[in-house]
Amino acid sequence: MCSAELLKETRQEVTALLRHLIRIDTTNPPGNEIKAAEFLAGSLEEEGFKCELFESKPSRGSLITRMKGSREGPSLLLLSHVDVVPANPKEWTVDPFAGMVKDDFVWGRGALDMKSMTAIEVVVMKLLKRKHARLKGDIILAATADEEKGGEDGVGWLTRKHPEKIRADYVVNEGGGLAIPVNGKNVYTVQTAEKGILWFKVKARGTPGHGSVPGASDNAILRMNNVVGKLERYHSKIVLTPTVRQFLAKMAKEHRTARKTFTKLLESPATADSVLDELARKDKMLAEETRAKLRMTVTPTIIHGGVKENIIPSECEAVFDCRVLPGQTTAAAMGKIRNLLRNVGLENLDFEIIQANEPSESPFDKPLYREIVSSLREFEPGCAVVPDMLTGGTDSRFLRKLGAVCYGFQPMRADMPYGELKSGIHGVDERISIDNLVFGASVLYTVVKRFMTRVNT
Ligand SMILES: [Zn+2]
């Protein structure tokens, strides 16, 4: 089938699905994802799919369905989460849960993150069934709960309780696919790696006293000030992971204006900071995103201390967000941080780990990656594709732990300013163009159909 026909068939369907999904409020917390899972089950069952609903806790629902293959080839999981982060209607120019269409965009919470991908994946499954695709391996679709709060009641729970339902050789999920326009050419990202998350709390202890005689007490806020200062001045070692190395090499090739920068980063990573400082004067976002891909980072995000104007506080608490690279561990990072704070007085500091998720990376030298590249080039001759590391986290980490090769890939063209698009995710006026919905569905369908109907080695 040619892509023009596919476009027509898909346009209405994928748009309607997304609008419906946005209207089901799955703000997490509390989530209430079962409503979205039930809606999707109904939609899929109409076309003969058998669906299973799983509830990790009451109303925390995830949906799974499967199309059987002949077992001659690898299996593939099409993954998405159906929960969304809160939206404050007062800050939006439209109702975030109305699923409205305006200016050929679908507006609403989840339009980008990531109900659009859920709609796209459902459409891909339906198209495969309608076209009687002869699959060599099983394709599983999972629309899950709780990603926005860490995934423990969604994919985390599924991988612990029902790993056989969700285990696959390959996974396609969120986290990549957005084109970076470079010199008039689209460079599409495929997320092949993500950093690990270490959220920890530090409690600094001191002794209370009167604010008018500061020397007589031990001020916990000043101790915390030293902790924050030490961690701010800490620049961890630069490490190029395989994904980042490939990302830099590709960008050096494609990015005329920043070619020198990327080449220097590759050739002498130790000088990265001065090279990136220079780039930051021209493109702050690109420079800082790149810097965060090169090392472990740690930054304070919450701080509390003191109870009254004239009391020297005996306690001060701060929360830090630390992100570690693939190849590093959260335990080693915690050890490093404690070590750095030796001089601040470990005996007066208590540490508590709030959340720790290990980093993960998948190889990009794989048949599915090559299929993504060749399919994209058919839709858009001359485009480039780069593997990319996400500095944030996705549910892919749970599946990589089960042995799956995971790629973040929702193909999208940059049809609105990059900053506006990024600020819609978890921000206000989140929206996706209908063209991007159709483009995403068409590319993903092509990739999946080709990859799953031939024998891959
Ligand atoms: Zn998401």
Side-chain angles (χ1 to χ4, degrees), residues 290-305:
T290 307
R291 204 191 305 266
K293 288 174 191 175
L294 302 180
R295 60 155 60 100
M296 162 191 148
T297 60
V298 54
T299 194
T301 48
I302 300 175
I303 192 157
H304 291 299

Side-chain angles (χ1 to χ4, degrees), residues 357-420:
N357 303 112
E358 299 308 320
S360 64
E361 185 159 28
S362 293
F364 45 82
D365 181 22
K366 287 280 171 186
L368 180 59
Y369 190 91
R370 290 193 284 275
E371 184 55 64
I372 286 174
V373 176
S374 69
S375 289
L376 265 174
R377 290 229 172 102
E378 249 173 69
F379 278 83
E380 196 175 316
C383 73
V385 183
V386 288
D388 194 13
M389 183 171 76
L390 206 65
T391 51
T394 73
D395 280 337
S396 290
R397 64 172 173 265
F398 295 109
L399 281 315
R400 289 197 179 112
K401 221 166 154 183
L402 282 191
V405 170
C406 301
Y407 295 141
F409 184 61
Q410 179 180 354
M412 259 198 279
R413 290 184 171 129
D415 56 10
M416 59 198 267
Y418 184 72
E420 234 176 279

Side-chain angles (χ1 to χ4, degrees), residues 81 113 147-148 174:
H81 64 83
D113 184 13
E147 193 274 345
E148 297 293 359
E174 66 178 335

Side-chain angles (χ1 to χ4, degrees), residues 81 83 112-115 147-148 173-175 393-394 425-426:
H81 64 83
D83 62 319
L112 291 164
D113 184 13
M114 67 172 297
K115 286 176 169 173
E147 193 274 345
E148 297 293 359
N173 184 25
E174 66 178 335
T394 73
I425 298 171
H426 294 204

